[in-house]
């Protein structure tokens, strides 16, 4: 540990010590070659990545896809509803896969039927529609639908279908099921002639990983354990989607009536394919209203006559099933058994990793003894019978306050660690573990929080948590990289230095040639004299800062080398401050290509969308998806220059010849296409094959440059809490949220001081001011007088121009990217998070009001900024621009 020995509770638990202290034998790996070899051979794409969202989806091995593609290339598979040879091959192969699925769950076609669906959600919906519900009437109370509150949204959603049938729904808490008194089966009475009821519960909670007793199946069906005091015959739906990804399920012992599954949870591929396993003893009772292609034995188009097919699968599978995806399952089973030996081996391996991580995570303490995390679980991770390989938790500060899951997720991304955050489509479990009442859920919705967003704290209380989960290819290095991340970002030495993310040779650490040494990319050392000194000659990192230009003085010499000329930042030092309380523009930046390098100017015209040509272009991948530095950090090395006189944009990058792109499209030649920015559809056009080839050569993959169509108007969303009349609604370029972003040098200075480090001789070294300014990618930089005073402004005036302050900008992990090198350094994000009370806010959004463009309008360096303070201190937070 830098600066001294780690205090107790801040050390990584050695794996060997953990194994020695275990009260039960634990299994790691599969005993047929090392996991390192398996990962290198089958999951090479994970190099440098720590993937911990296997409960969301596991990952497919390379050999599975290779084998499947070989199968497709060598065989002709026709529609199974036809009668030709290729169709017969498809039909027989699909039937063989059905048998393989049943064998995987230790059952047979005599006991269960496999009904293919688009996923477990579709399987649940099918049960809700086809179950033989009985509506209440004079003779009885009818059927009831019971579900465990710790259930996926898709289970809870079944109640809307049952409500339409006048069937009551009863939520059951886990505590009530655990404490329910077991009854004598004879005392339950004869269910014959009584209404059928359905009880749904998950084999494994997708929120906490808790594994509920499979014995409940037999107990509920026999009447020995009742979810509700209702006379009738109970049937059981076991939601096995989360469970079967890492554990065997024996349906010959635990004979649930319905078992929905999703195959991507097991194999990673194919997606969009699931199944409903139906107990044949119940199959004849299922009723279905709609009938689709392939389900009818006979029907009349002109009369209400329809006879379903006798086969349960054919009767309930509407239309042509996704037969190629079904065939892919064969290769999934083959790969899984070949690589691991089966589900029991997977269960033991993943539980060992989960128990180790849980033990290590639980032991982490701050110097004052406070825990670093709060784990949400109903078990002590004692065995795989009661706990799956899932850990749900929130990070705490040393005072016990929750650090929002969004902030943890952003920090994890900087270490290339993939986690899941939120409530994971399980509101019931989220409420139960986090103590969120029904009233609070409604209050959170009124405050703007919806499922899946990044609003992680409301009134200091968490709205969700962080979840990590392991899969069959997960390694000890994955677990230890995650633990080192938590230690490094939460536990510091007395000198403020974070713990190293990896310590080769440390007790319990993997050998130097293991995966853990490459699991997390190293960040550049903060004490280096310049970013370039840490870069190898072949890394593609370089520094060629553009010269600031005046819009009226733009000329062809832009193509010449500019690194030695005076920059606007240097010229800003000559700007007189006058009154110390005044505010002056010291820098102006526009970013012609979204997420690419800044173009610094001294004086620049305004357009209806902000600074003229600011974020008018963006780089997209081969699927038309907009790229940012979060996915492609080297975007910052692409330097655009605008030449207004020649009406061109010149684009430069190291090792590439400069290339020119016209500022405006030729309306007769361009083809308008639709793209998406921040959930908005925008009309764009492709800037041509020449620039596409240029970008593709630089990045080594197919990319395109597109520009927002000049006749397309995109309006800002009215969600900032301001009274905006129709004539003041902001029009936007390809920015995410607002026309302008302003930052204050006083705020930067405070952050700079927090980031200061001490070198060997005790001299304080500061992050370069210009480096920090560039990270925040603002348009307007002011000199300011006090840190973060800009967040108290309501409006500003610059000459005759007026701008409304929309609110502070929540920053994303892009601020950790050095805009000169493309390298990441998470210290900026972490320090800002600490300074701003765990909410990474920096800079304020602006939009111009009553802008008259009948004559040219300009912003200039040196112009005075006159702020108008807010009448009250309320403000509305807005997500980051990029």
């Amino acid at each position: 540990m830098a600066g001294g020995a780690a205090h107790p509770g801040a050390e990584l638990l050695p794996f060997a010590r953990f194994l020695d202290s275990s009260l039960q034998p634990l299994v790691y790996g599969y005993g047929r070659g090392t996991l390192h070899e398996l990962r290198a051979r089958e999951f090479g794409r994970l190099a440098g990545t720590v993937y911990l969202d296997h409960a969301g989806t596991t990952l497919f091995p390379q050999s599975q896809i290779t084998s499947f593609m070989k199968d497709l290339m060598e065989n002709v598979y026709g529609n199974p509803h036809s009668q030709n040879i290729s169709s017969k091959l498809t039909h027989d192969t699909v039937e063989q896969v059905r048998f393989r699925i049943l064998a995987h769950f230790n059952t047979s076609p005599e006991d269960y039927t496999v009904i293919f669906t688009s996923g477990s959600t579709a399987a649940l919906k099918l049960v809700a529609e086809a179950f033989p519900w009985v509506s209440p009437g004079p003779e009885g109370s009818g059927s009831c639908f019971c579900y465990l509150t710790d259930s996926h949204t898709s289970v809870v959603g079944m109640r809307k279908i049952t409500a339409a049938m006048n069937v009551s729904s009863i939520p059951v808490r886990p505590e009530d099921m655990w404490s329910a008194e077991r009854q004598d089966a004879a005392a339950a009475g004869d269910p014959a002639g009584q209404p059928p009821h359905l009880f749904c519960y998950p084999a494994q909670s997708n929120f906490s990983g808790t594994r509920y007793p499979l014995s409940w199946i037999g107990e509920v069906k026999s009447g020995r354990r009742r979810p509700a005091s209702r006379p009738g015959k109970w049937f059981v739906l076991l939601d096995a989607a989360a469970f079967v990804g890492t554990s065997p399920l024996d349906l010959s012992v635990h004979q649930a009536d319905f078992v929905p599954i999703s195959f991507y949870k097991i194999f990673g591929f194919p997606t969009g394919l699931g199944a409903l396993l139906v107990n044949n003893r119940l199959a004849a009772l299922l009723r279905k209203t709609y009938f689709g292609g392939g389900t009818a034995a006979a029907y009349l188009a002109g009369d209400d006559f329809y006879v379903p097919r006798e086969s349960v699968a054919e009767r309930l599978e509407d239309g042509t099933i996704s037969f190629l995806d079904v065939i892919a399952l064969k290769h999934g089973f083959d790969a899984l058994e070949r690589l691991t030996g089966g589900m029991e081996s997977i269960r033991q391996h993943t539980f060992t990793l989960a128990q180790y991580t849980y033990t290590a995570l639980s032991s982490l303490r701050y110097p004052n003894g406070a825990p670093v995390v709060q784990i949400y679980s109903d078990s002590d991770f004692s065995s795989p019978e009661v706990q799956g390989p899932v850990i749900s938790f929130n990070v705490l500060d040393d005072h016990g306050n929750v650090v929002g899951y969004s902030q943890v997720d952003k920090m994890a991304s900087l270490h290339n660690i993939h986690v899941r955050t939120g409530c994971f489509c399980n509101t019931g479990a989220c409420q139960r573990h986090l103590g969120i009442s029904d009233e609070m859920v409604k209050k959170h919705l009124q405050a703007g929080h919806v499922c899946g967003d990044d609003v992680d704290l409301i009134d200091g209380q968490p709205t969700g948590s962080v979840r990590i989960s392991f899969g069959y290819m997960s390694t000890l290095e994955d677990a230890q990289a995650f633990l080192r991340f938590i230690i490094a970002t939460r536990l510091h030495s007395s000198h403020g230095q974070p713990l190293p993310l990896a310590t080769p040779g440390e007790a319990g650490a993997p050998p130097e040639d293991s995966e853990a040494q490459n699991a997390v990319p190293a960040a550049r050392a903060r004490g280096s004299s310049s970013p370039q000194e840490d870069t190898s000659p072949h890394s593609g990192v370089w520094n060629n800062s553009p010269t600031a230009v005046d819009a009226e003085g733009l000329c062809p010499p832009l193509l010449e080398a500019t690194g030695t000329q005076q920059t606007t930042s240097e010229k800003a030092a000559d700007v007189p401050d006058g009154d110390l309380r005044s505010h002056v523009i010291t820098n102006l930046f526009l970013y012609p290509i979204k997420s690419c390098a800044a173009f610094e100017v001294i004086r620049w015209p305004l357009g209806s969308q902000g600074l003229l040509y600011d974020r008018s272009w963006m780089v997209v991948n081969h699927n038309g998806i907009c790229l940012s530095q979060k996915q492609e950090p080297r975007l910052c090395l692409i330097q655009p220059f605008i030449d207004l006189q020649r009406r061109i944009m010149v684009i430069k990058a190291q090792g590439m010849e400069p290339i020119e792109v016209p500022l405006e499209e030729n309306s007769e030649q361009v083809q308008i296409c639709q793209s998406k920015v921040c959930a908005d559809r925008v009309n764009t056009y492709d800037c041509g094959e020449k620039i596409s080839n240029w970008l593709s050569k630089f990045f080594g993959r197919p990319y395109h440059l597109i520009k927002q169509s000049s006749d397309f108007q995109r309006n800002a969303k009215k969600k900032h809490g301001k009274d905006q009349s129709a004539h003041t609604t902001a029009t936007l370029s390809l920015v995410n949220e607002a026309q302008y972003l302003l930052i204050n040098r006083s705020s930067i200075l405070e952050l700079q001081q927090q980031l200061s480090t001490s070198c060997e001789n005790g001299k304080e070294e500061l992050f370069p001011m210009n480096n920090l300014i560039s990270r925040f990618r603002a348009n307007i930089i002011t000199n300011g007088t006090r840190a973060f005073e800009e967040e108290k402004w309501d409006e500003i005036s610059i000459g005759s121009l007026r701008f409304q302050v929309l609110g502070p900008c929540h920053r994303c992990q892009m601020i950790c990217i050095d805009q000169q090198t493309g390298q990441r350094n998470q210290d900026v994000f972490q320090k800002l998070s600490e300074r701003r009370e765990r909410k990474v806010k920096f800079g304020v959004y602006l939009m111009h009001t009553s802008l008259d463009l009948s004559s040219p309008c300009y912003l200039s360096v040196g112009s005075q900024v006159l702020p108008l303070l807010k009448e009250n201190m309320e403000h509305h937070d807005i997500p980051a621009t990029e």
Side-chain angles (χ1 to χ4, degrees), residues 247-570:
S247 187
L249 175 63
D250 190 343
L251 290 180
S252 69
V253 177
H254 307 291
Q255 298 182 4
D257 297 294
F258 305 99
V259 183
I261 57 176
S262 284
F263 290 108
Y264 71 93
K265 303 278 189 180
I266 306 173
F267 307 122
F269 177 87
T271 58
L273 180 68
L276 176 66
L277 278 56
V278 179
N279 194 312
N280 289 339
R281 286 174 291 185
L282 179 67
L285 301 178
L286 298 180
R287 304 171 301 187
K288 193 159 170 288
T289 303
Y290 174 81
F291 64 94
T295 65
Y299 75 96
L300 291 174
D303 196 5
D304 187 14
F305 174 77
Y306 162 72
V307 179
R309 289 182 179 270
E310 291 187 5
S311 164
V312 176
E314 290 180 321
R315 179 156 38 102
L316 297 180
E317 290 173 349
D318 289 313
T320 302
I321 61 174
S322 185
F323 56 87
L324 292 181
D325 285 337
V326 172
I327 293 170
L329 296 180
K330 170 192 178 299
H331 302 278
F333 282 116
D334 289 345
L336 201 66
E337 292 173 7
R338 184 182 68 255
L339 298 175
T340 68
M343 295 306 299
E344 180 59 32
S345 298
I346 293 174
R347 180 174 82 143
Q348 296 296 335
H349 169 73
T350 55
F351 175 73
T352 295
L353 289 175
Q355 190 185 53
Y356 166 71
T357 307
Y358 168 81
T359 304
L361 204 56
S362 302
S363 66
L364 294 180
R365 293 288 185 274
Y366 288 102
N368 64 1
V372 174
V373 300
Q374 179 178 358
I375 296 176
Y376 306 110
S377 176
D378 291 308
S379 79
D380 57 359
F381 283 69
S382 58
S383 81
E385 299 294 332
V386 298
Q387 180 64 46
V390 175
I391 304 175
S392 181
F393 66 96
N394 268 318
V395 174
L396 308 176
D397 65 17
D398 56 358
H399 299 293
N401 300 311
V402 172
V403 178
Y405 61 74
S406 178
Q407 302 306 109
V408 178
D409 188 23
K410 290 174 182 177
M411 286 299 298
S413 296
L414 294 174
H415 295 261
N416 213 7
I417 298 175
H418 301 195
V419 300
R420 179 77 177 267
T421 59
C423 279
F424 327 122
C425 296
N426 191 332
T427 299
C430 195
Q431 286 186 258
R432 176 169 167 262
H433 285 286
L434 274 64
I436 303 174
S437 66
D438 293 350
E439 292 71 23
M440 290 170 67
V441 171
K442 297 174 183 177
K443 179 182 177 182
H444 293 172
L445 178 63
Q446 293 175 347
H449 171 54
V450 297
C451 292
D453 66 15
D454 60 356
V455 180
D456 48 16
L457 295 172
I458 297 180
D459 296 331
Q461 299 301 309
T463 62
S465 68
V466 182
R467 186 186 73 186
I468 62 171
S469 49
F470 297 96
Y472 75 83
M473 76 295 299
S474 296
T475 65
L476 173 62
E477 289 80 4
D478 291 333
Q480 291 186 331
F482 166 75
L483 291 168
R484 286 190 178 96
F485 154 70
I486 294 294
I487 293 171
T489 54
R490 301 311 309 170
L491 301 173
H492 296 258
S493 71
S494 59
H495 297 287
Q497 295 285 348
L499 287 172
L501 294 185
T503 308
E506 173 187 11
E512 292 190 15
D513 60 349
S514 68
E515 299 127 355
Q517 302 306 312
N518 298 316
V520 181
R524 178 176 63 82
R526 291 181 295 174
S528 62
S529 58
S530 71
Q532 289 70 39
E533 292 180 7
D534 295 314
T535 306
S536 59
H538 59 272
S539 67
V541 173
W542 62 294
N543 182 13
N544 185 19
S545 301
T547 298
V549 296
D550 189 317
E552 295 182 345
L554 294 174
C555 56
L558 278 173
L559 299 181
E560 300 175 1
T562 60
T564 60
Q565 299 182 29
Q566 186 186 31
T567 66
T568 298
S569 302
E570 294 167 338

Side-chain angles (χ1 to χ4, degrees), residues 649-661:
M649 175 172 63
V650 180
I651 305 174
K652 300 168 65 178
Q654 188 185 45
M656 304 289 292
E657 290 292 325
I659 188 170
E660 298 179 359
V661 174

Side-chain angles (χ1 to χ4, degrees), residues 606 796-803 848-852 855-859 863-864 866:
L606 274 58
I796 65 170
S797 296
I798 305 175
S800 62
L801 301 172
R802 291 180 59 199
F803 299 85
H848 45 55
T849 58
S850 304
L851 183 66
D852 182 8
S855 58
C857 298
Y858 292 85
L859 283 179
S863 297
Q864 189 173 19
L866 299 177

Side-chain angles (χ1 to χ4, degrees), residues 48 50 130 138 149 171 177 210 272 328 474 510 550 555 591 596 611 705 753 780 796 808 824 867 880-881:
V50 179
T149 54
M177 278 301 292
T210 297
S474 296
D550 189 317
C555 56
Y591 306 84
C596 290
L611 290 171
L705 183 70
Q753 292 169 345
I780 303 170
I796 65 170
R824 286 185 171 95
T881 298

